[in-house]
DNA sequence: GCTTGACCTCAAGTTAAGTTGAGGTCTTAT
DNA sequence: ATAAGACCTCAACTTAACTTGAGGTCAAGC
């Protein structure tokens, strides 16, 4: 990872990255071994990070909040440049993936909330009304204990 | 876990629970060792579950979809009776916890989505506009590389 | 010249939520 | 009467995402 002279000026140590992203140093190391971020080394074998790594870690944290696995985050991050700010197109390419996923999650949660509401209304888990019943529970239809668990 | 004679009639084996909840038998065992569900034994040492266990597992699955840990699910389930349908009050006591949590999650996701939107608009991560910046990144203010990572 | 702080590597440990496997029992159908 | 299928226990393995620890380097300040 050869760095232009300019980058050396603003480069960050692992400790600086950790402090500014509010994560442990060990986590920065971890993300690096996992290939989510990259660094180059000083003469003393110390890691140096481009300031753009701050953005990558910000993205990682945001994505993790939504429950996206590191494996998938890594894939999405692949479209962002390592050593410069992303272009509008690059950013869009990445965030479009999140958008769809977020929309799905929001829709999913809304359905669940709706479902809990109706359950509160009836106080039981009626099989016709309550979405908490097992969606694939076909056997129930054949048996006597069909109404109420 | 002594069972009334009536319960014996409608009791379910571990295999039946697994099939109807669409989870592996090993997971049913696991939930039991974790104390989320309970069973009694037949003369042949086979597990027997009350049909109300179906509801408990349904609740577990719903809660897990929203990212709630088993530890917390167990706690919430504690207000539901093991061997009968919950009363309206019991069900409310439990689902109220989920409601709040769900609302928080939905609000959180909406904020994130909003934030990604504005990032798409600008194509960069401006510190004034973009919520993806590190919320606790105060050092940035002191330095030159404040605009853009 | 020595201690302190920041950094390095590599291996092993941790937690959650299960899964897999080995070895054994019991009941039912052929 | 024996083979298949459902069940049992217990220990060990798995994956994700880190964390912890041991042992070592290097530059700066007193």
């Amino acid at each position: 990872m050869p760095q232009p002279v300019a980058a050396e000026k603003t480069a960050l140590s692992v400790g600086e990255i950790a402090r500014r992203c509010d994560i442990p140093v060990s986590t920065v190391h971890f993300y690096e071994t996992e290939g989510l971020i990259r660094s180059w080394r000083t003469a003393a074998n110390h890691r140096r990070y481009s300031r753009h790594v701050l953005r990558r870690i910000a993205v990682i944290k945001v994505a993790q909040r939504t429950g996206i696995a590191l494996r998938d985050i890594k894939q999405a991050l692949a479209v962002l440049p390592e050593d410069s700010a992303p272009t509008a197109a690059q950013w869009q390419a990445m965030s479009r993936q999140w958008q769809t996923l977020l929309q799905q999650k929001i829709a999913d949660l809304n359905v669940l909330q709706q479902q809990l509401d109706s359950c509160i209304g009836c106080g039981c888990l009626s099989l016709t009304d309550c979405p908490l019943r097992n969606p694939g529970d076909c056997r129930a239809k054949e048996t006597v204990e069909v109404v109420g668990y």
Side-chain angles (χ1 to χ4, degrees), chain A:
Chain A
M1 199 182 180
Q3 285 303 303
V5 176
E8 296 286 351
K9 303 267 179 201
T10 57
L12 300 153
S13 71
V14 70
E16 285 165 337
I17 293 281
R19 221 174 309 114
R20 290 185 52 171
C21 296
D22 194 29
I23 58 177
V25 166
S26 64
T27 303
V28 181
H29 285 177
F30 175 69
Y31 288 159
E32 187 170 344
T33 67
E34 293 295 302
L36 288 134
I37 57 177
R38 272 200 291 168
S39 69
W40 68 98
R41 301 299 178 108
T42 65
N45 197 32
H46 288 189
R47 289 169 177 85
R48 281 298 174 272
Y49 296 93
S50 151
R51 69 199 196 285
H52 303 289
V53 161
L54 294 172
R55 179 182 17 244
R56 291 178 81 88
I57 295 180
V59 169
I60 292 170
K61 292 174 77 179
V62 166
Q64 283 197 308
R65 276 204 352 220
T66 76
I68 300 167
L70 277 192
R71 188 183 342 106
D72 301 329
I73 296 172
K74 180 180 176 181
Q75 207 189 330
L77 277 178
V79 308
L80 294 191
E82 301 267 357
D83 304 321
S84 57
T87 65
Q90 286 168 333
W91 183 260
Q92 273 177 37
M94 192 202 63
S95 66
R96 229 192 331 265
Q97 307 176 47
W98 286 176
Q99 291 289 356
T100 311
L101 215 145
L102 281 181
Q103 274 163 21
Q104 276 167 4
K105 280 199 181 261
I106 290 169
D108 195 23
L109 288 182
N110 276 318
V111 168
L112 287 178
Q113 192 177 35
Q114 170 61 44
Q115 294 176 341
L116 267 182
D117 267 338
S118 31
C119 286
I120 287 175
C122 63
C124 69
L125 287 164
S126 114
L127 279 174
T128 51
D129 291 2
C130 184
L132 274 182
R133 69 185 154 73
N134 301 311
D137 188 2
C138 323
R139 307 282 325 271
K141 289 221 175 63
E142 307 158 18
T143 64
V144 159
E145 72 264 35
V146 62
V147 179
Y149 289 120

